[in-house]
Amino acid sequence: MLFYMVITMTKPSSDKADVVIIGGGVVGTSIAYSLSCYDLRVILLEKDNDVSLGATRANSGIVHAGYDPIPESLMARLNVEGNRRMSALCKDLDVPFETCGSLVISRSEEEDQIIQQLYERGIRNGVPELKILSADATLDREPYLTRDVHSSLFAPSAGIVMPWTLCIAMAEVFARNGGEIRLETCVSGLNSSTSGIRVQTNRGDINARFVVNAAGLFSDEIHNMADRPDFKILPSRGEYYLLEKNQGKWAKSVIFSCPSPITKGVLVARTAHGNLIVGPTSETISDKEDTSTTAEKLHEIREKASSLVPCINFSENIRNYSGIRANSDRHDFIIRRVPSVPGLIDVAGIKSPGLAASPAIGPYVVDLLRREGLQLQMNSSILRDPNRLKRKVVRFHDMSPQERASLISTDTRYARMVCRCETVTEGEIRDAIHAPLPARTIDAIKRRTDAGLGRCQGGFCAPRIAAILAEELHIKPTDILQDKEGSYLFTGPTKIAPESTCDAVAVTKADTISGRTDSMPAEVKHCALAIIGAGPAGLAAASKAYAEGITDIIVFERDKETGGILNQCIHTGFGLRVYNETLTGPEYAERAAKEIENTDISIFTDTMVLDIRSDRLITAVNRKDGLFFCHADAIILAMGCRERTRGAIAIPGSRPSGIWTAGTAQRYMNIEGCMIGSQAVILGSGDIGLIMARRLMLEGIHVKACVEVMPEPGGLSRNIAQCLEDFNIPLLLSHTVTEIKGKERLESVVIAQVDSKRDIIVGTEKEITCDTLLLSVGLIPENELTKQAGLTLDKNTGGPYVVNATTCLTDGFFACGNVLHVHDLVDDVTLEAHKAAYEAAAFLKANGNIHIDDKESISGPMSSVTHTQNTPNSLRILPSDAIRYVIPQYLSLPINNDIIDISFRVRQSYERAEIIIRRSDKLEVYRERKSHVKPGEMQKIHFSSSMLMAPEINQNVDLILDITEGN
Amino acid sequence: MREMTCIVCPIGCQLRADPTKMTVSGNRCPRGRKYALEELTSPRRTVTSTIRIIHYQKPEHDAQLSAMQSALVSGRPMEDCDRSAFKPLVDFFCPSANHIEGRLPVKTAQDVPKDRIEDIMQAIHHLVVTTPIHMGDVIIDNIADTGVALIATRTLLEL
Ligand SMILES: Cc1cc2nc3c(=O)[nH]c(=O)nc-3n(C[C@H](O)[C@H](O)[C@H](O)COP(=O)(O)OP(=O)(O)OC[C@H]3O[C@@H](n4cnc5c(N)ncnc54)[C@H](O)[C@@H]3O)c2cc1C
Ligand code: SF4
């Protein structure tokens, strides 16, 4: 409702049109775009609240070369022509596109023959530069392919495009040139008369001279409104995996397996955005809008794709989704005038390669309309300025530092980062909201700006985008939608008594800058110590380093205040070790901040570090200083961690709103004051999930179950007791969520028991009605900057390798807190940060960066460590198979008479355990008994380094940490 | 014999408490014993939650504010004060408005009886404060007649 009103605020004088286009997919908008240069009144009708929500948003994004369609068909002609036009079109419209070529892979003699046939067809269709490659030539192009390649068909003209960006771009240009787009307008009838066609919709009728039926999946139904049934749409669903950008490297071109009469092939390709897309399956379905995924089909994709490109790592999954092809009972596209209904043009059955063909379909349909008698008069303002048919958008992510700086100097909103994964600024979000076709939902913003498309899947940016949407559109948070109508996010505000009638919801003001922000000149700045992140780790490192005599410190924090994740952890249970009392998260954060209050440490809040080079040059941006550089003599990394998302655990089913990571839900409930639902299920028994179970119950959201796939809970026992048992919430161990149901908002989840191999036990499935699902399925150290700085990450911890405690393998880098490994308790984070401060201070002093008269002020346990050369002169600590990870991974040599602290996690739980450290020459150096050792709890041991000494130790010896069942 | 998990510190000892003899085993420190005995007789918990907080910038809304604050000071639920004065104020949530509403984290200054948690949550729903507020400030000194104060757990000078 809301959306419609805003867009068509300027209500047209009369509802008459020269052309009505039904359907805002890539086909409908391509026709609209092609008509936008003429003096015509054109109205595009779309039943959903944005364009591109049908097949256009969930497809492979491949611009096929054109060897597939049957020669002489319309499909063949429009595919090849569309492919030829795509590059120029995307350039005009500023749409990401790349001509990367495609390969169809043959792995047998039979397949060689199919490839030969495709080649011949392609030549007849006029596909340029097509050739057949030998096995060697194929592997030269695509080195990660399976070795059993026989040959391949190489089509250099194939490409990849962002399909919804293309569709939105064409719609925007159409709207900017006077075309009218009516969203949430569903066509319910077509009445033909002598003067034209009367189009009936839920928002009034329109008299049109011509009607173009580009309604995708519904094009048969639209046709049948005006004429007797002719063709039938046969919906066919395709499911996908979308993987992290680090997987994009496995495919340079689009790689297809060879299609056969029995099985349809699978494709592996990089998207125009750099991710890896794998799929699709093909399954005839009856419900035209059922875009669920299924365990079975996802399994099929993994099998097929792995046989083609073996190194794909499916645990790097971001998202599963499916799209529905509007296949028809005809072989060819159906683009023609409907003989019995003058003025009606069907553009139907536009299956793959419809996207590739779309740049040609628009002009083709315009020509058809002209032949039917539509007068085409060039619009005079476009004649004067052809650039009106082009578009340019701001993409901060793709800009050079110079371009970024000059952009920020025009508008500082481009200096505030909203999406950290994709580097999207507040300015871009606001641009999208004010574009000719305004973005009005969280997903509409995502489609236009990429915010939320990255690895955290909106966990960080969605609350910020919600605040901006509420502000710009003057709507209540309860009116904010994730996607289509019905996909609401919030049920109301917190802290409203149930019987109360008032309906206030607060979303944190998007524009406030609180906390301390010091300014910095625009040129390259210098500091002795830079700390990235002002959570508990960053704050503790800053105060301790200051106490060590390092005064020239800058702390960078992307949030508007310090404290990090603690600000939203309003429960108690922090600080017993560090402050000797039990505090809430905000109290702990405030104490930590107080410790540096009266120092001259600079804290830059609302400041995003965009890049760190291995020579410790930091690029950062904020609204006050714009884009700026800072060279640091030492850097402490303290960026914390992020949550694993639904993609990482690949739950099949639909994609409704109401699925939150526990931490995001915590932020909405505790900081923004938004109620996220009414009945919830929690997946995962990590501490955040348990704490949130209690929060939801207290706030009046009923928690029906906490489901954990492992045979034992992940969080602390005290949290099981005080968060679940206190509230009688059932804890279902060895259970998992197997399916998600609900179209727009979550309606229910299916859970089932799993066996010891975590396979689902058939027959144990149960459906639980709920509108909210919280995921507490683990945390991942946030190490994008660490990687940019060239540091390698330990696969087991997810953080950088460290020597002694926090010293990274690249000179001058230190890491502490959750960025190094995920901690259970903030007290441990603070203590680790203190070590980072000692080690960084020692490094600065040893390198002469800092001159302090009183050398004795270095009092920390690592004071005597020398830091100039790390890797060569150090000893490795290796985890045995029973140990999940160990920190530190190295000890520097020579080892002095210090206490050595080792932290580790185990893989299974032990009633009684023996912890043993052995040298690789089999000599045992340490043994300790410990009871109640659990995988969910970090283990720590301390011992004197003198135990390692005799006989003499050198870098050829490794230490092995092991654990066994004790007695 | 009753089995329970000690929630006083992160170690989470498994305690066994005998309700007749009032003995406790399994605790690694005396706090565990105290906890178990209390759990047998009258279990207590600390309650943490949030309350509404309004950032006030213009004097025009004094009437509404004083209505809210009088409700606050008296500990009466919001319902008792003038609703018509209260309503328009909390409808503002846009940053351009003069008042912005947010949430302030709070906790009970001590443990409260477990069976009073519901009442406390109900009372909390009706509280509104204005900025500035400091960590440790007492919001209300006797929440839901428990004799325990509700205190702010962070400083909010503005929203
Ligand atoms: C799984 C899959 C993979 C694909 N892969 C590729 C590929 O790699 N390369 C390629 O070239 N093509 C591919 N395609 C095909 C391509 O995506 C489609 O051909 C193209 O997106 C079709 O666009 P469209 O505008 O026809 O349909 P849609 O995007 O479905 O648009 C139709 C629009 O009409 C609206 N509408 C329907 N009924 C009404 C009504 N009554 N009133 C108003 N509005 C209405 C719908 O809501 C929808 O927005 C694939 C398709 C799928 C599903
Ligand atoms: S008994 Fe003592 S050590 Fe054990 S959990 Fe309770 S407080 Fe901690």
Side-chain angles (χ1 to χ4, degrees):
Chain A
M1 183 56 164
L2 171 92
F3 298 99
Y4 165 74
M5 289 183 5
V6 182
I7 289 172
T8 58
M9 203 85 85
T10 49
K11 205 163 172 14
S13 46
S14 76
D15 266 357
K16 273 201 200 137
D18 296 310
V19 183
V20 162
I21 300 166
I22 305 172
V26 74
V27 170
T29 54
S30 162
I31 298 164
Y33 175 73
S34 300
L35 287 170
S36 49
C37 56
Y38 302 112
D39 268 330
L40 292 170
R41 181 153 164 66
V42 182
I43 305 177
L44 186 140
L45 306 180
E46 168 54 55
K47 69 176 170 48
D48 284 320
N49 61 13
D50 196 4
V51 297
S52 82
L53 297 193
T56 300
R57 82 154 152 198
N59 60 59
S60 319
I62 311 297
V63 181
H64 297 274
Y67 46 76
D68 252 337
I70 300 180
E72 322 295 333
S73 65
L74 187 57
M75 194 189 272
R77 176 176 149 201
L78 293 174
N79 183 173
V80 174
E81 177 64 14
N83 174 295
R84 200 181 56 78
R85 289 175 183 243
M86 187 66 87
S87 163
L89 179 66
C90 289
K91 202 159 159 237
D92 284 353
L93 297 175
D94 199 4
V95 172
F97 167 76
E98 192 190 324
T99 313
C100 57
S102 73
L103 288 172
V104 186
I105 307 298
S106 153
R107 282 178 282 179
S108 66
E109 260 149 44
E110 293 87 78
E111 291 187 349
D112 285 348
Q113 277 174 15
I114 299 176
I115 281 190
Q116 184 61 35
Q117 287 161 10
L118 288 176
Y119 173 78
E120 283 157 18
R121 233 197 256 173
I123 295 297
R124 282 182 65 194
N125 289 349
V127 176
E129 298 174 78
L130 205 56
K131 40 179 173 296
I132 290 183
L133 300 184
S134 67
D136 284 346
T138 308
L139 287 168
D140 263 358
R141 269 198 72 80
E142 294 291 345
Y144 301 109
L145 273 177
T146 164
R147 296 284 121 181
D148 59 6
V149 174
H150 256 229
S151 67
S152 69
L153 176 67
F154 177 44
S157 62
I160 45 180
V161 69
M162 285 309 255
W164 58 84
T165 313
L166 175 62
C167 178
I168 291 166
M170 293 191 293
E172 279 184 3
V173 172
F174 167 68
R176 204 178 59 209
N177 288 300
E180 193 187 331
I181 298 174
R182 296 194 191 174
L183 300 178
E184 297 190 312
T185 306
C186 187
V187 174
S188 52
L190 295 176
N191 293 325
S192 168
S193 72
T194 44
S195 61
I197 301 173
R198 190 167 183 83
V199 183
Q200 294 168 338
T201 81
N202 57 327
R203 298 185 192 284
D205 296 356
I206 306 164
N207 286 314
R209 280 189 59 214
F210 292 94
V211 172
V212 177
N213 166 18
L217 281 165
F218 300 89
S219 53
D220 53 350
E221 292 168 38
I222 297 285
H223 173 94
N224 297 349
M225 288 174 189
D227 190 23
R228 69 190 147 66
D230 177 11
F231 59 92
K232 193 163 169 31
I233 296 296
L234 307 169
S236 159
R237 184 164 66 196
E239 302 184 18
Y240 289 95
Y241 267 92
L242 186 73
L243 305 175
E244 270 273 22
K245 287 190 184 156
N246 62 17
Q247 299 294 302
K249 56 179 178 264
W250 306 133
K252 208 161 77 187
S253 344
V254 180
I255 301 172
F256 295 96
S257 65
C258 186
S260 80
I262 342 155
T263 73
K264 204 171 173 291
V266 66
L267 72 86
V268 175
R270 199 161 28 80
T271 67
H273 202 241
N275 300 85
L276 195 74
I277 186 172
V278 185
T281 52
S282 161
E283 178 190 10
T284 307
I285 54 166
S286 51
D287 182 350
K288 288 180 175 176
E289 297 191 312
D290 181 6
T291 50
S292 312
T293 52
T294 59
E296 183 196 332
K297 293 288 173 191
L298 294 180
H299 177 79
E300 179 187 318
I301 297 174
R302 288 195 302 273
E303 295 273 292
K304 282 188 181 171
S306 302
S307 78
L308 196 60
V309 184
C311 25
I312 299 174
N313 179 358
F314 282 95
S315 66
E316 296 283 346
N317 186 29
I318 295 184
R319 194 156 22 120
N320 296 107
Y321 62 90
S322 71
I324 302 176
R325 307 173 182 89
N327 290 357
S328 74
D329 50 8
R330 308 292 165 84
H331 288 299
D332 207 350
F333 290 159
I334 305 164
I335 306 182
R336 45 113 211 249
R337 57 189 284 268
V338 179
S340 57
V341 188
L344 178 62
I345 309 263
D346 279 334
V347 186
I350 311 296
K351 49 194 163 191
S352 185
L355 174 67
S358 62
I361 294 177
Y364 182 85
V365 172
V366 170
D367 194 51
L368 207 62
L369 288 165
R370 186 185 55 77
R371 278 185 280 138
E372 289 299 298
L374 181 69
Q375 297 281 342
L376 299 177
Q377 181 87 49
M378 269 303 256
N379 178 300
S380 55
S381 53
I382 288 179
L383 272 179
R384 254 178 283 124
D385 178 12
N387 281 338
R388 291 184 64 96
L389 293 176
K390 298 184 182 174
R391 171 190 98 131
K392 187 94 196 122
V393 288
V394 169
R395 277 195 203 93
F396 192 82
H397 180 271
D398 298 338
M399 290 180 161
S400 68
Q402 291 81 356
E403 289 169 327
R404 287 176 173 183
S406 80
L407 175 68
I408 291 165
S409 66
T410 66
D411 186 341
T412 59
R413 286 180 301 189
Y414 294 108
R416 163 176 280 180
M417 218 48 63
V418 171
C419 169
R420 59 172 186 210
C421 307
E422 299 296 328
T423 330
V424 182
T425 63
E426 182 187 335
E428 292 163 86
I429 308 288
R430 292 189 198 266
D431 286 351
I433 298 175
H434 297 293
L437 176 65
R440 318 211 146 240
T441 65
I442 303 266
D443 281 359
I445 299 242
K446 172 160 91 182
R447 285 189 287 275
R448 285 158 177 81
T449 64
D450 298 342
L453 209 59
R455 55 192 183 276
C456 89
Q457 288 285 291
F460 179 81
C461 63
R464 287 151 183 86
I465 293 172
I468 297 172
L469 276 171
E471 181 194 335
E472 290 281 345
L473 303 177
H474 295 276
I475 57 174
K476 290 186 177 149
T478 40
D479 292 331
I480 295 172
L481 296 177
Q482 178 72 42
D483 187 17
K484 292 187 185 178
E485 195 61 45
S487 63
Y488 60 90
L489 289 172
F490 311 117
T491 55
T494 62
K495 293 303 167 297
I496 298 294
E499 69 278 13
S500 162
T501 50
C502 87
D503 54 354
V505 182
V507 161
T508 312
K509 182 181 174 188
D511 234 333
T512 330
I513 300 179
S514 69
R516 301 172 33 175
T517 307
D518 297 307
S519 79
M520 194 152 82
E523 72 276 15
V524 176
K525 177 97 184 143
H526 175 265
C527 68
L529 177 62
I531 298 175
I532 320 295
L539 291 174
S543 71
K544 195 53 105 190
Y546 194 80
E548 286 298 308
I550 315 294
T551 52
D552 181 14
I553 302 178
I554 299 179
V555 184
F556 295 88
E557 168 57 51
R558 66 173 179 225
D559 222 325
K560 60 184 189 203
E561 60 187 1
T562 63
I565 203 78
L566 286 179
N567 290 322
Q568 63 183 56
C569 301
I570 63 166
H571 57 280
T572 61
F574 303 87
L576 219 48
R577 250 185 96 186
V578 171
Y579 295 109
N580 251 319
E581 60 181 299
T582 164
L583 301 172
T584 67
E587 288 173 321
Y588 192 102
E590 206 161 315
R591 291 229 188 163
K594 277 224 168 74
E595 282 169 25
I596 53 174
E597 209 168 66
N598 295 316
T599 66
D600 38 22
I601 296 173
S602 303
I603 300 194
F604 283 63
T605 52
D606 233 336
T607 303
M608 180 90 166
V609 173
L610 296 174
D611 185 44
I612 303 177
R613 287 194 338 207
S614 57
D615 61 2
R616 300 188 298 275
L617 182 75
I618 296 168
T619 312
V621 64
N622 68 23
R623 284 191 74 166
K624 212 160 163 196
D625 309 288
L627 192 82
F628 61 93
F629 304 93
C630 176
H631 186 267
D633 296 328
I635 293 179
I636 296 181
L637 303 167
M639 291 89 74
C641 61
R642 67 186 142 93
E643 298 181 277
R644 290 176 77 203
T645 62
R646 174 179 171 188
I649 47 174
I651 312 172
S654 55
R655 303 190 54 78
S657 68
I659 301 171
W660 320 81
T661 56
T664 305
Q666 190 179 41
R667 182 183 163 106
Y668 278 122
M669 295 280 295
N670 293 349
I671 296 187
E672 319 282 357
C674 296
M675 284 288 257
I676 56 166
S678 58
Q679 294 184 314
V681 167
I682 295 181
L683 176 60
S685 58
D687 284 315
I688 314 177
L690 298 176
I691 296 287
M692 279 312 289
R694 175 175 61 185
R695 286 291 302 135
L696 296 186
M697 287 299 270
L698 283 175
E699 297 299 334
I701 299 176
H702 183 66
V703 179
K704 294 191 153 175
C706 175
V707 180
E708 168 62 57
V709 72
M710 302 297 282
E712 48 205 326
L716 297 174
S717 331
R718 71 192 299 215
N719 287 336
I720 303 286
Q722 61 183 349
C723 298
L724 297 186
E725 288 165 14
D726 268 9
F727 296 91
N728 297 317
I729 300 169
L731 172 61
L732 303 173
L733 298 173
S734 298
H735 274 72
T736 190
V737 171
T738 57
E739 195 185 342
I740 285 169
K741 294 187 175 183
K743 256 193 186 140
E744 311 307 341
R745 176 76 190 199
L746 181 65
E747 285 159 22
S748 67
V749 298
V750 179
I751 64 165
Q753 209 175 331
V754 297
D755 60 21
S756 55
K757 288 200 272 350
R758 293 208 227 169
D759 288 331
I760 290 151
I761 302 175
V762 181
T764 60
E765 293 90 350
K766 255 195 310 206
E767 191 164 339
I768 304 181
T769 312
C770 58
D771 63 1
T772 303
L773 174 67
L774 293 200
L775 305 178
S776 173
V777 290
L779 301 167
I780 307 169
E782 180 70 280
N783 273 306
E784 298 310 305
L785 286 173
T786 318
K787 283 191 266 181
Q788 281 172 31
L791 276 63
T792 37
L793 302 185
D794 180 345
K795 273 205 198 80
N796 300 321
T797 57
Y801 288 97
V802 284
V803 187
N804 298 332
T806 66
T807 305
C808 300
L809 302 189
T810 301
D811 257 4
F813 281 88
F814 304 84
C816 60
N818 281 353
V819 81
L820 180 55
H821 60 136
V822 176
H823 296 63
D824 310 325
L825 299 171
V826 69
D827 301 68
D828 292 336
V829 168
T830 298
L831 298 174
E832 190 173 84
H834 290 167
K835 290 184 194 166
Y838 291 132
E839 293 186 354
F843 168 82
L844 289 171
K845 290 167 191 176
N847 284 335
N849 295 101
I850 288 289
H851 300 282
I852 294 168
D853 300 335
D854 179 14
K855 278 251 174 199
E856 296 313 301
S857 77
I858 307 175
S859 53
M862 293 301 159
S863 54
S864 43
V865 171
T866 48
H867 287 268
T868 26
Q869 287 268 298
N870 290 327
T871 12
N873 200 20
S874 53
L875 188 70
R876 282 195 300 179
I877 309 179
L878 300 172
S880 77
D881 287 344
I883 305 278
R884 210 170 84 212
Y885 73 70
V886 56
I887 288 280
Q889 295 90 344
Y890 297 93
L891 293 174
S892 65
L893 291 171
I895 290 172
N896 299 295
N897 285 343
D898 282 322
I899 297 292
I900 293 172
D901 289 320
I902 290 181
S903 306
F904 61 95
R905 282 181 193 271
V906 295
R907 292 194 188 275
Q908 62 171 75
S909 59
Y910 301 83
E911 253 320 294
R912 268 179 266 285
E914 299 259 349
I915 298 161
I916 305 151
I917 298 181
R918 261 184 230 103
R919 297 168 40 144
S920 50
D921 51 16
K922 298 282 188 294
L923 203 69
E924 185 176 310
V925 292
Y926 181 76
R927 183 178 279 261
E928 182 183 326
R929 286 203 181 152
K930 216 165 183 174
S931 49
H932 307 299
V933 177
K934 294 179 193 162
E937 294 173 13
M938 194 170 79
Q939 308 296 324
K940 278 172 285 186
I941 52 176
H942 325 273
F943 56 92
S944 158
S945 60
S946 59
M947 300 176 85
L948 301 178
M949 291 311 182
E952 207 200 324
I953 195 151
N954 59 44
Q955 68 210 53
N956 300 325
V957 185
D958 295 329
L959 295 183
I960 295 142
L961 175 69
D962 195 10
I963 186 165
T964 59
E965 207 76 61
N967 43 43
Chain B
M1 196 61 73
R2 228 180 93 190
E3 303 242 346
M4 61 183 86
T5 307
C6 178
I7 63 168
V8 180
C9 91
I11 294 176
C13 294
Q14 287 304 311
L15 309 178
R16 277 173 307 280
D18 186 332
T20 47
K21 292 195 212 125
M22 294 302 265
T23 53
V24 180
S25 62
N27 53 317
R28 278 184 231 187
C29 82
R31 285 175 302 178
R33 190 183 124 78
K34 179 169 171 283
Y35 170 77
L37 296 181
E38 222 169 63
E39 205 58 12
L40 290 178
T41 51
S42 61
R44 297 175 82 86
R45 298 284 183 271
T46 301
V47 175
T48 63
S49 187
T50 60
I51 61 170
R52 302 161 72 169
I53 182 163
I54 286 176
H55 182 47
Y56 165 80
Q57 288 174 339
K58 274 200 184 156
E60 281 102 275
H61 301 275
D62 277 343
Q64 287 105 314
L65 273 169
S66 59
M68 275 193 276
Q69 273 168 342
S70 70
L72 175 64
V73 171
S74 67
R76 272 184 301 135
M78 230 23 247
E79 263 60 31
D80 294 355
C81 68
D82 182 4
R83 270 245 154 247
S84 61
F86 181 59
K87 182 99 166 55
L89 196 64
V90 292
D91 264 352
F92 292 139
F93 59 87
C94 285
S96 54
N98 299 322
H99 293 77
I100 308 138
E101 195 186 320
R103 293 293 179 272
L104 172 76
V106 292
K107 70 175 181 187
T108 53
Q110 285 105 42
D111 287 346
V112 296
K114 207 170 147 184
D115 55 11
R116 297 302 312 284
I117 293 177
E118 278 257 8
D119 302 338
I120 292 173
M121 287 307 295
Q122 281 307 315
I124 278 176
H125 281 318
H126 301 289
L127 297 176
V128 181
V129 289
T130 58
T131 54
I133 215 135
H134 293 90
M135 180 166 83
D137 282 358
V138 172
I139 306 296
I140 189 165
D141 52 16
N142 176 9
I143 180 89
D145 275 332
T146 53
V148 173
L150 189 73
I151 59 173
T153 57
R154 72 163 291 176
T155 301
L156 269 176
L157 302 178
E158 56 179 274
L159 294 181

